[in-house]
Amino acid sequence: MSCNDPITKNSILKQMNVNGRDFGILAISNRHLCDRPFKEQIRRVCNWRPTALVLREKDLAEDDYKALAKNVLDICKSYDVPCILHTYWKTALELEHDAIHLPLPLLRELSSMKSFQVSDFRKIGTSVHSVEDAVEAQQLGATYVTAGHIFTTDCKKGLPPRGLDFLKNVCDAVTIPVYGIGGIKFDPQQWNSLKEQGASGGCIMSGMMQL
């Protein structure tokens, strides 16, 4: 039986919950991968109880993202699943939401702006692609990083994965939680390989959008 069929996914995630979530799973949204209406898919994802949902739809204009975020935040709240907004930090503040994921170049830029205060957010994540990125992210106030891509993934066609050694080097270089990203599946053996490198968890996009 495949680790990606619905019954196995259900068993894996229930086991993760029973074990106290010692390995976190961040669900990353991408509405372009959904076969169902997006909000229906978000409900399905929340029903699996990931550690958090990252609303990544950064290709939307900010007004459209804000309208979507309002709906998704309500859905996440109803399932008691934390939601992390992406890129649009002003929208997060307007919605009185204190969790944001920022691309590292944007976090770097914002760090020098008086209008942006790290203290306004309880959780700030960013994506890193080198040990130096991770160290800088922590210095800029990030409370977690996603590091990748770790495994081969269709999202990065033609680009070789950075691999588990890279992940270990990132984990060793910082004290904040590190989540592996790229090619992560509903596969406990794969999760264990990430955990062995010191990762706090992994990120799943395609699998979550196709539940």
Side-chain angles (χ1 to χ4, degrees):
M1 184 176 289
S2 167
C3 286
N4 285 317
D5 68 57
I7 295 175
T8 305
K9 288 176 184 176
N10 188 32
S11 174
I12 289 168
L13 288 170
K14 281 184 177 178
Q15 183 179 15
M16 181 186 72
N17 289 342
V18 169
N19 290 340
R21 299 178 184 269
D22 62 344
F23 187 82
I25 294 295
L26 300 183
I28 313 296
S29 81
N30 184 339
R31 69 193 188 285
H32 302 296
L33 298 178
C34 299
D35 294 326
R36 299 178 180 82
F38 184 62
K39 285 182 281 187
E40 179 183 340
Q41 189 64 39
I42 293 297
R43 291 187 183 92
R44 292 175 69 90
V45 170
C46 287
N47 190 49
W48 295 98
R49 298 298 194 278
T51 305
L53 168 74
V54 180
L55 183 63
R56 188 179 178 270
E57 314 302 312
K58 60 181 182 178
D59 60 312
L60 290 173
E62 185 159 8
D63 286 347
D64 294 332
Y65 183 91
K66 182 177 182 179
L68 179 63
K70 288 179 180 178
N71 290 324
V72 171
L73 286 170
D74 285 343
I75 294 170
C76 288
K77 184 177 181 180
S78 70
Y79 285 88
D80 197 26
V81 171
C83 182
I84 302 171
L85 300 187
H86 200 294
T87 301
Y88 295 121
W89 62 278
K90 289 183 179 178
T91 286
L93 292 179
E94 289 168 3
L95 295 176
E96 299 182 340
H97 193 67
D98 62 0
I100 189 76
H101 190 100
L102 300 169
L104 182 56
L106 179 56
L107 177 58
R108 189 181 294 134
E109 176 186 341
L110 290 174
S111 67
S112 63
M113 295 173 56
K114 292 182 178 179
S115 58
F116 177 82
Q117 298 294 325
V118 169
S119 59
D120 286 336
F121 295 94
R122 175 183 53 83
K123 186 181 291 293
I124 298 178
T126 194
S127 305
V128 301
H129 304 97
S130 69
V131 169
E132 292 77 16
D133 282 352
V135 172
E136 180 186 9
Q138 180 169 280
Q139 291 172 344
L140 292 174
T143 61
Y144 76 90
V145 296
T146 60
H149 62 291
I150 305 303
F151 303 108
T152 301
T153 172
D154 288 341
C155 296
K156 303 286 185 181
K157 283 186 177 179
L159 293 177
R162 291 182 169 86
L164 292 171
D165 287 343
F166 159 76
L167 180 63
K168 183 179 189 308
N169 290 337
V170 170
C171 293
D172 288 346
V174 296
T175 58
I176 57 178
V178 176
Y179 293 83
I181 192 169
I184 313 297
K185 306 180 186 301
F186 290 94
D187 182 349
Q189 290 184 339
Q190 187 191 57
W191 295 355
N192 284 335
S193 71
L194 298 177
K195 187 176 179 182
E196 287 170 357
Q197 313 314 313
S200 296
C203 305
I204 300 178
M205 176 189 287
S206 297
M208 287 292 181
M209 293 298 97
Q210 295 164 8
L211 283 173

